Amino acid sequence: MGICAPMKHIITGCYVNTVMPPPADIVKVAIEWPGANAQLIEMDQKRPLSSIIREVCDGWSLSGSEQFALRYADGPQLYITEQSRGEIKNGTILRLAISPARAARQLLERIQSHGIDARLEALKELAKLSADPTFATEFINMEGIGTLARLVESGTHFGEMLAFTLTAFLELMDHGIVSWDLISLSFIKQIAGYVNQPMVDVSILQRSLAILESMVLNSHSLYHRVAQEITVGQLIGHLQVSNQEIQTYAIALINALFLKAPEDRRQEMASSLAQKHLRSIILNHVIRGNRPIKAEMAHQLYVLQVLTFNLLEERMMTKMDPNDQAQRDIIFELRRIAFDGENDPTGTEKRKAMYTKDYKMLGFTNHVNPAMDFTQTPPGMLALDNMLYLAKVHQDTYIRIVLENSSREDKHECPFGRCAIELTRMLCEILQVGELPNEGCNDYHPMFFTHDRAWEEFFCVCIQLLNKTWKEMRATAEDFNKVMQVVREQITRALAMKPSSLDQLKNKLRSLNYSEILRLRQSERMSQDDFQSPPIIELRERIQPEILELIKQQRLNRLCEGSCFRKLGNRRRQEKFWFCRLSLNHKVLHYGDLDESPQGEVPFELLSDKIPVSDIKSVVTGKDCPHMKEKSALKQNKEVLELAFSVLYDPDETLNFVAPNKYEYCIWTDGLCALLGREMGSDLTRSDLDTLISMEMKLRLLDLENITIPEAPPPVPKEPSSYNFTYNYS
């Protein structure tokens, strides 16, 4: 008998075909070189990279292999190092290129040449290569950043040449190899000059704003220098242009200056911004502009909103001093406005007794010394500030609320003071006053940009809502916590609708009265809690596997469509995107880098990397993700942690994700778990399961409407005495 391929082993007298798996350390790649046919090689990952490069050079008769390196042919075209070579996959196309050190040396020489065209081409290539950390290290070690800084300081570069210079500088600094503290004052002045010029190229202005933002965020000493060179008025001018990218960079720099300002200067800066009408300019030129708000602009508006509300933190955490006469005078003023016109008794004892009565009618918990009500933080003195604003600016509303409750004798009076204090605390929690902005969050509210005293006006709207809800619930003092729960629900539901103005907020709150809240609760309860009789429970259990399979298919279909993810870095607006999608046969994850966020589906051909699903070991989320452990700045960020997940696959590799929102996070974690045959445990799956089961059961039980379903099946009737009966159809 002849021996033929494939190799055959004899086992218990039978021939068994055996396909040997490829060695784990061997990857098959193609390597290109201009003007030559590509080499198809099997790269042994155990061999030194220099040895492989030497072999490739020999294949094309190239000498001096130490002057060459390998780069990816597609995507960002990064250099391959001993540390990054493990990311090479089967089928990857590589390119033989001059080494990073040689490339850095050549570019540095060309940049300093006298030929304008040669210098422009060199800077253009440098702007592209600077994103590569391997090249950046070599270029920086050759004092390349100092060379670029001197080119900028000279003031002789303009147009494209200057734009490429600033781009390369920003990319190189972003690697964190060189400290921003080394930047000279003359360089800062030159960059600030580009921002302050009335007419400057858009690309130069963008990069200048980004450089200044990075300076402020990364160096305490540079913050003071930048703050001296850049005025708020000059930045506000950039918000009145039609280019949303420029507007975004300008607001980002304002936020950076706001965030890094010493505490004693933040209030001063906020006053300056108010005098320059920042809020109205943002409202008219950005929020109400003719262009849709992009994700990065939404994030910067959210950051500005958070930083503005954080100015309230000091008052929120300040306890009232019962012995401070100036603070006590505020309480006297509240009493005077509410009960003005009543005779003020001359006797000390009479005055004290009358004040105690008035403080009780004002709704304070401590009638004798209401200052004690403001000693708990939060909300501290912020609650008293809100009450005084209401009393002075909306005096009629304040007097009406106080008097209509103080004159009631049926124990249903709404205690204004206690309610205002608790409401202030609640609003601080809802709007997260005192907390730093979350990376990746875009949750800004347009209505807070419609009024210079948006916080106080928001409180005034909500205290009227609380008083109205108290009356609708016919509440007593014992129902205080129940009323506050309902009011919190009313406010959060209204905010979720994103009202564009305070008037819209009032309308939405008016429609969310107590009866509507009860109806919504009942509706949600009915959709969640179906009938509990045994037959219905049994039907639910029978339906559930079908619905879970339906959800699973939907998740897998979404993975096949794919999603775009953002690469986290130090500068949000200049980060790259990458796309990932599942093959149609559900066997391979395809992914690859993109220059910008795609519109629609990305073809498989553009996604150069892939992971066989069979190689995936597990999916981890949150703080267990490798990229969350590595980035200390993000570890503390709750928002990013909630959207992070990683795919662990053979041998010991990871593919790290940060979803753009909670919905995509649930879709992808569910889909990946479904691929691995594991339970889909996201909140979205639970919600979809409840909704679909409820709908399916209602459809199946339509004919049983208004019919009582028994707890047990009806008894089987007794057998008839005889079976001698027929039907006559004639």
Side-chain angles (χ1 to χ4, degrees):
M1 180 180 295
I3 304 296
C4 60
M7 185 183 297
K8 297 183 177 181
H9 296 281
I10 300 178
I11 301 177
T12 63
C14 300
Y15 287 101
V16 179
N17 289 339
T18 303
V19 179
M20 297 297 291
D25 297 318
I26 301 295
V27 288
K28 298 180 179 180
V29 299
I31 302 179
E32 299 176 337
W33 176 254
N37 293 326
Q39 295 186 35
L40 304 177
I41 69 168
E42 293 186 351
M43 181 183 289
D44 186 349
Q45 295 286 47
K46 290 182 178 180
R47 287 178 59 193
L49 201 55
S50 58
S51 173
I52 296 173
I53 294 173
R54 188 182 309 112
E55 184 179 301
V56 172
C57 289
D58 291 343
W60 284 313
S61 301
L62 298 173
S63 59
S65 62
E66 66 278 359
Q67 296 295 317
F68 293 92
L70 292 176
R71 293 172 61 184
Y72 289 99
D74 301 317
Q77 301 181 1
L78 299 177
Y79 278 102
I80 294 166
T81 64
E82 290 288 355
Q83 292 73 31
S84 65
R85 64 186 295 179
E87 299 174 7
I88 301 174
K89 305 293 184 293
N90 280 314
T92 302
I93 301 175
L94 306 179
R95 179 175 298 157
L96 186 68
I98 61 174
S99 67
R102 185 180 172 189
R105 191 179 306 108
Q106 289 181 357
L107 284 176
L108 202 53
E109 292 171 357
R110 290 163 58 195
I111 287 170
Q112 299 176 83
S113 66
H114 297 291
I116 299 298
D117 292 338
R119 191 184 301 176
L120 178 61
E121 286 301 314
L123 287 169
K124 184 176 182 180
E125 188 175 347
L126 176 63
K128 184 178 179 181
L129 277 174
S130 295
D132 188 306
T134 308
F135 171 84
T137 302
E138 297 291 344
F139 189 81
I140 290 170
N141 289 339
M142 296 176 186
E143 303 297 330
I145 284 191
T147 301
L148 294 179
R150 286 190 292 273
L151 289 176
V152 174
E153 292 169 9
S154 68
T156 57
H157 285 59
F158 304 97
E160 270 192 317
M161 190 174 292
L162 178 58
F164 288 134
T165 304
L166 296 179
T167 301
F169 178 86
L170 191 55
E171 290 286 357
L172 291 167
M173 292 299 297
D174 194 41
H175 292 292
I177 301 171
V178 178
S179 171
W180 281 93
D181 290 320
L182 300 177
I183 302 302
S184 67
L185 181 59
S186 59
F187 181 85
I188 297 173
K189 287 180 176 292
Q190 192 68 37
I191 296 297
Y194 299 137
V195 173
N196 295 336
Q197 285 179 18
M199 297 294 291
V200 67
D201 185 79
V202 170
S203 57
I204 295 173
L205 180 57
Q206 280 185 354
R207 288 153 181 79
S208 299
L209 288 168
I211 289 172
L212 292 175
E213 180 197 0
S214 294
M215 288 180 181
V216 172
L217 292 176
N218 291 287
S219 171
H220 179 71
S221 61
L222 291 188
Y223 158 76
H224 296 284
R225 295 180 180 179
V226 173
Q228 290 172 358
E229 299 295 330
I230 297 293
T231 66
V232 172
Q234 290 158 340
L235 291 178
I236 288 179
H238 294 307
L239 297 177
Q240 296 171 284
V241 301
S242 58
N243 187 319
Q244 190 173 123
E245 295 296 321
I246 295 296
Q247 293 175 326
T248 303
Y249 279 91
I251 295 180
L253 180 52
I254 291 173
N255 286 337
L257 290 168
F258 213 145
L259 183 65
K260 293 298 180 178
E263 290 187 11
D264 57 339
R265 282 207 59 200
R266 287 180 188 171
Q267 200 69 50
E268 178 186 335
M269 185 176 176
S271 301
S272 176
L273 293 174
Q275 292 173 4
K276 299 293 184 181
H277 307 292
L278 172 67
R279 178 200 58 77
S280 60
I281 289 172
I282 289 177
L283 179 67
N284 295 323
H285 292 273
V286 178
I287 296 175
R288 293 179 179 172
N290 296 324
R291 301 168 306 282
I293 301 293
K294 295 181 180 178
E296 179 55 31
M297 173 60 85
H299 173 74
Q300 294 301 336
L301 291 174
Y302 154 78
V303 172
L304 182 59
Q305 173 186 291
V306 170
L307 295 177
T308 303
F309 283 146
N310 282 356
L311 294 173
L312 305 168
E313 183 181 12
E314 182 182 356
R315 295 293 284 174
M316 180 183 76
M317 300 307 295
T318 300
K319 296 181 179 181
M320 186 172 187
D321 182 0
N323 299 318
D324 188 321
Q325 188 58 43
Q327 295 180 3
R328 296 180 64 178
D329 286 345
I330 299 176
I331 299 178
F332 293 152
E333 182 69 5
L334 290 175
R335 179 209 159 275
R336 186 196 66 76
I337 294 173
F339 304 112
D340 188 30
E342 294 189 13
N343 293 325
D344 194 7
T346 56
T348 304
E349 292 299 323
K350 288 184 179 180
R351 186 183 299 114
K352 185 175 180 181
M354 183 175 180
Y355 282 6
T356 300
K357 179 184 176 184
D358 289 348
Y359 292 146
K360 181 178 181 181
M361 289 192 292
L362 277 170
F364 289 112
T365 303
N366 191 318
H367 309 150
V368 178
N369 187 6
M372 299 302 295
D373 286 14
F374 300 95
T375 55
Q376 184 176 355
T377 58
M381 290 294 291
L382 184 59
L384 188 58
D385 295 342
N386 286 342
M387 295 165 71
L388 184 63
Y389 181 88
L390 175 68
K392 287 193 169 184
V393 179
H394 301 278
Q395 192 170 113
D396 292 343
T397 300
Y398 168 70
I399 294 173
R400 175 178 57 79
I401 291 175
V402 172
L403 294 185
E404 76 177 18
N405 284 290
S406 62
S407 62
R408 301 189 66 163
E409 299 292 341
D410 55 2
K411 297 183 180 180
H412 290 288
E413 68 276 3
C414 176
F416 169 75
R418 184 184 176 191
C419 288
I421 293 170
E422 186 58 34
L423 177 64
T424 301
R425 180 187 293 108
M426 179 196 297
L427 297 182
C428 289
E429 291 174 358
I430 292 174
L431 296 177
Q432 300 178 331
V433 174
E435 296 187 16
L436 289 175
N438 285 326
E439 180 77 19
C441 182
N442 304 333
D443 189 24
Y444 80 98
H445 295 278
M447 70 174 184
F448 290 131
F449 292 88
T450 63
H451 202 285
D452 289 328
R453 303 293 294 272
W455 166 264
E456 290 86 349
E457 289 294 322
F458 184 46
F459 168 83
C460 293
V461 171
C462 293
I463 193 68
Q464 294 178 71
L465 168 73
L466 196 159
N467 186 61
K468 173 173 168 285
T469 302
W470 186 284
K471 290 188 290 186
E472 291 173 349
M473 294 177 66
R474 292 192 54 79
T476 62
E478 289 77 16
D479 301 317
F480 183 84
N481 290 334
K482 293 180 181 178
V483 175
M484 297 308 297
Q485 289 173 6
V486 172
V487 171
R488 176 185 282 271
E489 187 172 345
Q490 290 171 313
I491 294 171
T492 52
R493 285 182 184 270
L495 287 178
M497 301 178 198
K498 287 291 193 302
S500 60
S501 66
L502 289 165
D503 287 336
Q504 275 198 17
L505 175 68
K506 293 176 186 177
N507 292 334
K508 294 185 184 303
L509 289 174
R510 197 175 294 119
S511 63
L512 286 168
N513 54 36
Y514 179 54
S515 298
E516 179 64 11
I517 292 295
L518 289 180
R519 188 193 68 78
L520 290 170
R521 286 179 174 179
Q522 180 69 15
S523 174
E524 291 169 1
R525 192 179 300 116
M526 287 295 293
S527 65
Q528 295 171 2
D529 303 327
D530 289 313
F531 306 111
Q532 295 301 310
S533 61
I536 299 299
I537 293 175
E538 182 180 348
L539 177 60
R540 184 186 182 94
E541 291 174 351
R542 289 186 180 182
I543 293 173
Q544 184 162 318
E546 302 173 19
I547 301 299
L548 280 172
E549 183 61 27
L550 184 65
I551 295 173
K552 174 183 173 182
Q553 292 304 319
Q554 187 269 342
R555 300 293 193 263
L556 294 177
N557 289 341
R558 278 288 289 107
L559 263 62
C560 290
E561 294 174 8
S563 298
C564 181
F565 299 92
R566 182 170 52 84
K567 288 188 174 182
L568 289 178
N570 295 328
R571 300 194 319 279
R572 293 169 50 93
R573 289 165 305 291
Q574 295 189 10
E575 289 163 355
K576 302 297 183 182
F577 297 90
W578 66 286
F579 198 89
C580 185
R581 61 182 297 197
L582 179 66
S583 63
L584 300 180
N585 61 6
H586 300 172
K587 291 185 178 181
V588 179
L589 276 178
H590 296 264
Y591 66 97
D593 293 333
L594 302 174
D595 291 332
E596 57 185 17
S597 183
Q599 301 296 324
E601 196 173 90
V602 176
F604 288 109
E605 295 75 22
L606 298 181
L607 305 176
S608 57
D609 300 311
K610 57 185 177 181
I611 301 173
V613 172
S614 58
D615 287 352
I616 297 178
K617 296 177 180 178
S618 63
V619 178
V620 295
T621 60
K623 62 182 180 181
D624 294 325
C625 297
H627 57 318
M628 291 296 101
K629 294 177 181 177
E630 293 168 4
K631 295 181 179 290
S632 58
L634 297 179
K635 280 178 68 178
Q636 306 301 325
N637 195 313
K638 182 180 177 183
E639 188 77 19
V640 173
L641 281 175
E642 289 178 349
L643 299 177
F645 60 98
S646 297
V647 171
L648 309 184
Y649 61 98
D650 288 333
D652 288 309
E653 303 291 337
T654 62
L655 183 62
N656 301 317
F657 298 74
V658 175
N661 51 56
K662 190 67 176 178
Y663 176 80
E664 289 292 331
Y665 170 84
C666 293
I667 288 289
W668 274 85
T669 52
D670 282 344
L672 292 170
C673 286
L675 282 175
L676 300 179
R678 298 173 187 171
E679 181 181 353
M680 299 180 294
S682 73
D683 294 338
L684 183 63
T685 291
R686 286 191 288 272
S687 174
D688 287 351
L689 183 63
D690 289 341
T691 301
L692 293 172
I693 285 182
S694 176
M695 291 174 59
E696 182 66 18
M697 291 184 66
K698 287 175 181 177
L699 287 172
R700 296 194 183 193
L701 297 173
L702 277 177
D703 293 338
L704 300 179
E705 191 173 354
N706 297 324
I707 297 177
T708 303
I709 300 175
E711 293 289 331
V716 178
K718 294 181 180 180
E719 292 189 20
S721 56
S722 70
Y723 290 90
N724 299 326
F725 50 85
T726 60
Y727 287 99
N728 186 356
Y729 293 100
S730 59

